[in-house]
Amino acid sequence: MGSATPLHVVVFPYMAQGHTLPMLDLSKLLARRGIKVTIITTPANFPGIHSKVSKNPEISISVIPFPRVEGPLEGVENTVDLPSEDLRAPFIEVIKKLKEPFEEILRGMFEAGCPPIGVISDFFLGWTLDSCNSFGIPRIVTYGMSALSQAILIISGFHTPYILASLPEDPVQFPELPTPFQVTRADFLHLKHDPRGSLMSSIIQEFTEADLKSWGLLVNSFEDIEREHIAALESLYSTEAKAWCVGPLLLCNQIKEKEEDTNEPQAGNQTSDPCIEWLNKQIGYETVLYISFGSEAHVSDEQLDEIALGLEMAMHPFIWVVKSRNWVAPEGWEERVKERGLIVRGWVEQCRILAHPKTGGFLSHCGWNSVLEGLSMGVPLLAWPMAAEQPFNAKIVADWLGAGIRILELSECSETIGSEIICDKIKELMEGEKGRKARARAQEVKRMARQAMKKGGSSDRNLNELIESLAR
Ligand code: BUP
């Protein structure tokens, strides 16, 4: 690490917010260790990435043109929004065409005398393994998931018929994964939506094979909450591959313990944030419920209506990020809740909201980043998993850590969840005994998370060890 030519690492995120944002934090952590980082992305994603890393001279961005697309995916190259669920698999197929330009970039690095010591690339870019092998560079795969979800995704591929033959409430047990809590068939939402033989299931199979042959894994989690899962994950690899647990990466941004309770703009940050201004005006501490289902979940209009009514009945102040462009709130609702509810139809600074002292609960779809962000700020979750691996994240939060409660006991729910249930669960989280316990546990997890990321903490040491191993 002390050599004249800095070590060089390539970071190649998948083009979804939940996958890219942690990779930018990782890049900053590498840059702080004097490592040159090249982030690979496509033109539409360049501005967003540039705005977040441009203050770091060690980080550069290489842009590769998006392949020409026709048909239903036409125009996808011009937007950072991912295509809808049904076009996800064709999108992942299309971006396989980035392989050739990616290899040209790698070749250029060798010719310029700064070859990378490793490529950290997303699971959905499984083909990068082949590129890395042809240049003799180690590939480190990253999923943007908890270690538990990563392990289950791999293992469930070995046991799909057994899972699909079970009833929703049936416990599912794998010999490879001794979980300390019960997983049921209903938790396997990714199998429900991606039946065997679908393009998505064949993509997952192909990329899992690449994953299992990769040099190592990078996990955005920390040992105190996932030690058993990390061991199980590593045991799935026939090689000596190690899972480097280096999170929660978001804590690299040194978010203040809690935002100051003031309307003054933050030092060095002159842009006012309407959510923070609104939070500053709220009375009492930890009273506000923050609601967001991430950047990708689709929530039906009917379900949005029930959430709106549930929020109204629960009588707690709230900030609700509504992604649907077309949803119209029930008649008179906005007027009735305007004194205590802020509805945002766009992007918010989620970490700042969660870090605010007025925020006391998070109704979340349990995307792994949201889970880490809530817990790192000591905010308990009302877990409402909606798709993919989110049920397993909800298990970690509610059943394993006790830092949240679940909206429903079973993860699979084909019906709309009614406003009464939503109201009751909000009350349970914000004012009930279970919520009080979950808040205390979330505070403990927050302390553990910060400890892990501090100098000498487990995640800090693991990142150092990863770099040392790559540099050898
Ligand atoms: Br929406 C929204 N602001 O308004 P997850 C999201 N985020 O900062 P998902 C905002 O996006 P994937 C907003 O803080 C988190 O870092 C949020 O990631 C941020 O869920 C990220 O929680 C969302 O993992 O992502 O969107 O389902 O499926 O890609 O994991």
Side-chain angles (χ1 to χ4, degrees):
M1 271 190 259
S3 60
T5 317
L7 299 175
H8 181 198
V9 170
V10 168
V11 174
F12 196 169
Y14 176 63
M15 304 84 183
Q17 295 294 340
H19 292 240
T20 299
L21 294 172
M23 288 301 98
L24 305 186
D25 291 337
L26 171 75
S27 302
K28 288 185 216 163
L29 286 170
L30 292 171
R32 272 182 218 160
R33 286 162 166 81
I35 295 176
K36 174 181 159 57
V37 181
T38 302
I39 300 172
I40 313 277
T41 195
T42 50
N45 291 283
F46 173 81
I49 294 180
H50 178 73
S51 70
K52 293 198 173 60
V53 299
S54 58
K55 286 192 196 130
N56 301 267
E58 300 86 355
I59 304 179
S60 53
I61 308 172
S62 275
V63 178
I64 34 183
F66 201 91
R68 186 188 293 274
V69 273
E70 285 166 0
L73 277 174
E74 198 173 335
V76 76
E77 69 273 31
N78 301 321
T79 166
V80 293
D81 291 333
L82 284 182
S84 57
E85 197 73 40
D86 50 327
L87 292 176
R88 178 78 42 79
F91 176 79
I92 293 169
E93 277 298 300
V94 162
I95 58 174
K96 283 182 179 172
K97 293 187 187 153
L98 300 177
K99 186 168 186 264
E100 213 175 288
F102 170 61
E103 290 177 4
E104 263 170 47
I105 290 178
L106 290 181
R107 194 166 301 113
M109 289 170 176
F110 276 87
E111 283 165 9
C114 59
I117 55 167
V119 171
I120 301 172
S121 64
D122 197 279
F123 170 75
F124 283 138
L125 307 171
W127 44 266
T128 52
L129 173 70
D130 197 36
S131 310
C132 287
N133 285 346
S134 45
F135 284 88
I137 313 166
R139 182 223 180 188
I140 301 101
V141 62
T142 178
Y143 279 65
M145 286 183 193
S146 55
L148 173 73
S149 300
Q150 236 168 283
I152 290 184
L153 188 76
I154 297 172
I155 297 167
S156 63
F158 308 151
H159 302 281
T160 313
Y162 155 62
I163 301 164
L164 292 179
S166 316
L167 293 171
E169 58 280 5
D170 282 350
V172 171
Q173 274 161 346
F174 302 122
E176 303 89 340
L177 185 69
T179 40
F181 46 83
Q182 201 173 73
V183 174
T184 65
R185 211 283 276 125
D187 293 317
F188 291 81
L189 293 183
H190 70 286
L191 292 179
K192 182 180 167 216
H193 295 297
D194 296 310
R196 271 182 303 165
S198 72
L199 180 55
M200 197 60 183
S201 73
S202 74
I203 286 173
I204 290 182
Q205 197 183 340
E206 177 190 343
F207 290 164
T208 302
E209 279 165 27
D211 165 16
L212 290 171
K213 287 184 205 142
S214 295
W215 180 88
L217 302 96
L218 186 121
V219 188
N220 185 13
S221 187
F222 55 108
E223 291 180 356
D224 278 335
I225 63 167
E226 287 232 85
R227 193 165 281 108
E228 295 79 356
H229 308 153
I230 296 158
L233 183 59
E234 282 176 340
S235 73
L236 301 174
Y237 287 74
S238 48
T239 61
E240 291 294 289
K242 185 170 156 55
W244 309 87
C245 213
V246 298
L249 291 165
L250 72 122
L251 288 179
C252 85
N253 294 314
Q254 302 288 321
I255 289 179
K256 286 196 222 164
E257 275 293 287
K258 286 281 181 183
E259 294 271 349
E260 276 163 30
D261 188 13
T262 164
N263 279 326
E264 296 300 315
Q266 299 287 309
N269 175 11
Q270 298 308 310
T271 47
S272 67
D273 181 326
C275 293
I276 300 302
E277 284 174 14
W278 185 90
L279 281 165
N280 288 342
K281 290 188 196 127
Q282 299 308 303
I283 300 161
Y285 288 88
E286 297 176 344
T287 51
V288 175
L289 178 73
Y290 169 64
I291 304 118
S292 173
F293 301 118
S295 59
E296 297 191 65
H298 171 73
V299 187
S300 70
D301 285 0
E302 202 186 345
Q303 186 62 79
L304 291 170
D305 284 350
E306 294 298 323
I307 295 169
L309 298 174
L311 284 169
E312 183 180 359
M313 291 192 287
M315 297 297 288
H316 277 274
F318 64 86
I319 296 182
W320 183 13
V321 183
V322 179
K323 284 282 151 213
S324 166
R325 295 199 178 97
N326 309 321
W327 177 70
V328 180
E331 208 181 331
W333 179 82
E334 294 204 34
E335 184 59 27
R336 296 198 297 275
V337 299
K338 70 172 187 218
E339 296 301 328
R340 61 185 169 82
L342 181 66
I343 298 106
V344 188
R345 288 177 184 265
W347 191 255
V348 299
E349 293 293 329
Q350 178 163 301
C351 286
R352 288 191 73 191
I353 294 173
L354 290 168
H356 198 284
K358 302 292 171 68
T359 306
F362 182 10
L363 172 51
S364 168
H365 70 313
C366 292
W368 186 237
N369 295 297
S370 292
V371 167
L372 286 177
E373 289 161 11
L375 296 180
S376 299
M377 306 303 163
V379 177
L381 274 77
L382 177 48
W384 187 338
M386 296 191 164
E389 91 293 0
Q390 293 152 16
F392 307 114
N393 301 337
K395 293 259 166 202
I396 294 177
V397 172
D399 304 351
W400 176 231
L401 298 173
I405 59 178
R406 300 170 62 88
I407 192 97
L408 290 181
E409 282 314 309
L410 272 193
S411 302
E412 187 181 321
C413 174
S414 46
E415 283 164 24
T416 303
I417 301 180
S419 55
E420 289 83 7
I421 295 178
I422 296 168
C423 167
D424 288 350
K425 291 292 177 176
I426 292 174
K427 286 186 162 178
E428 201 172 316
L429 183 78
M430 301 303 283
E431 45 188 272
E433 183 53 18
K434 279 192 190 163
R436 194 190 57 72
K437 283 191 184 149
R439 186 158 297 111
R441 283 293 292 145
Q443 289 292 332
E444 277 175 48
V445 178
K446 168 184 163 176
R447 276 190 290 279
M448 291 192 269
R450 281 159 201 255
Q451 191 55 41
M453 288 298 284
K454 271 192 191 152
K455 200 167 172 44
S458 61
S459 295
D460 177 70
R461 285 197 316 270
N462 286 339
L463 188 55
N464 288 340
E465 280 174 25
L466 167 63
I467 298 161
E468 279 160 22
S469 299
L470 284 172
R472 252 176 235 144

